[in-house]
Amino acid sequence: MNRRTGGVRAALLLALLVTGSVTGCTPQEEDSGSSGPDAKAGPALAAVDALTVKGRAPKTGYDRDRFGSPWADTDSNGCGTRDDILKRDLEDVKYRDGDCEVASGSLAPDPYTGKDVTFVRGRSQVDIDHLVALSDAWQKGAGTWEPSKRIAFANDPLNLLAVDAGPNRGKGDGDTATWLPPDKGYRCAYVARQVAVKKKYGVWVTGAERDAMKRVLTGCPQEKLPTGGSPTSAPGRFHAR
């Protein structure tokens, strides 16, 4: 065998090793099952195990005012939190005056139903939902927080989403065990956001809630855990009971 022939054979062998032909494992076979129940836990699914599991505390003492004035401008950008979320989540946004107070826009689509919903200020079918409801948080740790933490929680963009008012009002203060968005295609992202919020603020979950979170996220094990939002303490100029 001459030197040139030996070089060609070496190159072919290297190519076979790279493509997996020598072992019989194709790239498709390596990827198979990556979304099944036995797949390695992605960030959101893995984070469920980091949440504290406890029973729901009494709702005694809960009041919306314990989380401060609604839609406080905790990020000090000159706009209330509600308008900040409308600007972030709506399309074709128009303002009443300047670039703060949102007059109209559209959810295209609404994450909870998958349908387009029109927003018109004063007669809107759009709500700003707390993905982790304030009452739910109150019964799972927030009742003992400092007021500044409750204010931050109520205005954190990580925990807020513009949605169709109908399903949102049907949700009430339900957690993952008792309510999920009608649009099944959004459930993974929805639950991942709830996990992220509860992990960030140290809100605990019930056993049934943890199991429900795992059931949803096992179907999408690579769902990422959202990050960001506001600091967990509001500026000192804000007050709550």
Side-chain angles (χ1 to χ4, degrees):
M1 178 175 67
N2 61 39
R3 186 175 300 173
R4 180 177 179 183
T5 302
V8 170
R9 288 184 177 180
L12 287 172
L13 179 60
L14 179 60
L16 288 172
L17 288 171
V18 170
T19 60
S21 298
V22 170
T23 64
C25 178
T26 67
Q28 288 76 17
E29 290 170 337
E30 290 172 352
D31 290 341
S32 65
S34 62
S35 60
D38 297 326
K40 183 179 178 181
L45 179 56
V48 177
D49 288 326
L51 302 177
T52 299
V53 180
K54 296 174 64 174
R56 185 184 292 270
K59 196 174 177 178
T60 307
Y62 170 73
D63 189 284
R64 175 62 179 83
D65 290 343
R66 301 300 295 270
F67 291 82
S69 300
W71 314 129
D73 180 19
T74 54
D75 63 1
S76 304
N77 70 349
C79 300
T81 302
R82 182 171 185 266
D83 281 301
D84 284 340
I85 302 304
L86 289 172
K87 286 191 287 185
R88 184 194 70 185
D89 293 350
L90 297 182
E91 296 185 5
D92 302 320
V93 172
K94 293 181 173 57
Y95 299 95
R96 179 170 292 178
D97 186 22
D99 60 357
C100 187
E101 189 173 358
V102 176
S104 65
S106 63
L107 277 175
D110 160 51
Y112 286 178
T113 65
K115 301 176 182 178
D116 291 355
V117 182
T118 299
F119 170 81
V120 178
R121 199 174 199 96
R123 48 188 177 91
S124 175
Q125 294 301 309
V126 174
D127 283 350
I128 305 301
D129 181 32
H130 288 93
L131 281 86
V132 176
L134 303 186
S135 173
D136 181 61
W138 180 266
Q139 297 170 78
K140 297 172 182 174
T144 64
W145 294 350
E146 292 294 323
S148 63
K149 185 174 180 179
R150 289 197 294 267
I151 295 167
F153 180 86
N155 293 281
D156 193 330
L158 183 63
N159 192 33
L160 298 171
L161 192 66
V163 297
D164 186 337
N168 179 52
R169 294 171 193 180
K171 168 189 171 181
D173 63 357
D175 59 24
T176 303
T178 59
W179 191 91
L180 288 168
D183 184 357
K184 293 181 180 180
Y186 188 68
R187 289 180 178 179
C188 288
Y190 173 81
V191 174
R193 284 274 290 272
Q194 286 197 330
V195 174
V197 171
K198 293 206 165 190
K199 184 174 184 292
K200 177 177 179 178
Y201 284 88
V203 179
W204 70 71
V205 295
T206 65
E209 182 182 5
R210 175 204 56 201
D211 293 347
M213 287 174 163
K214 286 191 169 185
R215 278 196 300 273
V216 172
L217 293 172
T218 294
C220 45
Q222 300 308 314
E223 185 74 34
K224 299 298 183 185
L225 189 72
T227 58
S230 303
T232 57
S233 182
R237 67 180 182 279
F238 294 99
H239 302 282
R241 292 201 295 111

